[in-house]
Amino acid sequence: MTLGSIDDIRAKTEELRQRTAAIRIAEGKPPEPPESFVPIPLGIILAEELVPFYKIAVQYAAVVASGALVRVDTTKLAKYRETARLARMCVGINVGLIGSGAERVLHTMDKINAAIDEGRESETDVRYEMRMLDHFLHFMNRSPWEDGTDHKSDKPYHVQQAEMKAEVYRLKNDPDEYRAELDAAWRHYREIEHLL
């Protein structure tokens, strides 16, 4: 497959953007989704809260890779689903991908659970599901700390990283401030959730 010229790529990108906007409008949503809003320091903390789920997701992917479909009680993973929903809205690209990856792993678990519950295991393309899990795990394996670097800034990398670490440390060690920032983020999320 050849991509063509830059102008061809721009035209195709614009066509896809318009199609996506038309679908969103048909669903009663604005043409563009709301912008990400979770600040990077809070996002880093959320991403760190998803680390235990990453280990669960890797084990789950290994089981699927062996060709077995197993039911997972995803109600026990509800805290990770909630954390992932908010992390996905981080202004930092890596944290957003970590949150999206976790959400997609949980969606895959839900989909396989439904297939098991409905006796449709034989209809499940295990290789496809494994490829998708591998893709989502790559998202989840990104470093949230890379979001702390603004490549347009005049500040050196190490200074930016030190400032980000200081802010994350401050939030982690000030429970009231952390709770206030987290609650504000959830309030905003609930205000725009229907527009996502």
Side-chain angles (χ1 to χ4, degrees):
M1 178 178 104
T2 60
L3 295 176
S5 70
I6 294 292
D7 290 335
D8 292 341
I9 294 169
R10 285 186 181 129
K12 184 66 174 172
T13 301
E14 179 58 22
E15 177 191 334
L16 291 173
R17 190 196 66 72
Q18 289 178 7
R19 286 174 46 196
T20 301
I23 291 168
R24 288 183 56 80
I25 291 168
E27 293 173 347
K29 298 175 182 177
E32 299 292 329
E35 291 189 17
S36 297
F37 63 89
V38 173
I40 291 172
L42 178 59
I44 289 172
I45 295 170
L46 294 171
E48 289 177 347
E49 290 175 4
L50 289 170
V51 169
F53 179 69
Y54 176 75
K55 294 174 184 175
I56 293 166
V58 168
Q59 292 172 346
Y60 182 76
V63 170
V64 173
S66 74
L69 296 179
V70 294
R71 190 170 203 307
V72 175
D73 183 357
T74 56
T75 61
K76 294 181 179 176
L77 303 173
K79 69 179 180 179
Y80 299 120
R81 192 181 303 265
E82 288 297 302
T83 301
R85 285 171 60 203
L86 194 56
R88 178 174 51 95
M89 298 305 297
C90 184
V91 297
I93 292 170
N94 288 335
V95 173
L97 288 172
I98 291 166
S100 293
E103 279 191 317
R104 298 311 302 163
V105 169
L106 286 159
H107 174 74
T108 299
M109 289 177 173
D110 293 338
K111 190 164 99 173
I112 290 174
N113 282 350
I116 292 169
D117 292 348
E118 297 165 10
R120 296 182 292 106
E121 295 98 325
S122 62
E123 297 173 22
T124 302
D125 184 345
V126 176
R127 288 180 296 175
Y128 170 80
E129 298 302 343
M130 185 55 236
R131 282 192 308 272
M132 296 311 295
L133 285 168
D134 181 60
H135 185 67
F136 305 144
L137 288 172
H138 281 304
F139 282 172
M140 291 183 68
N141 199 29
R142 297 176 75 103
S143 170
W145 288 97
E146 290 300 314
D147 288 338
T149 307
D150 180 357
H151 301 286
K152 296 177 185 172
S153 174
D154 293 334
K155 292 182 183 177
Y157 173 83
H158 70 280
V159 171
Q160 292 182 55
Q161 285 293 303
E163 290 174 353
M164 187 60 61
K165 285 180 182 176
E167 180 60 14
V168 170
Y169 181 81
R170 183 187 72 76
L171 281 175
K172 285 182 174 180
N173 289 289
D174 186 342
D176 293 337
E177 184 64 27
Y178 171 69
R179 176 53 54 195
E181 195 162 322
L182 185 64
D183 289 347
W186 273 116
R187 272 192 306 279
H188 185 68
Y189 180 89
R190 289 186 182 99
E191 290 170 3
I192 64 166
E193 185 174 15
H194 66 286
L195 304 174
L196 295 173

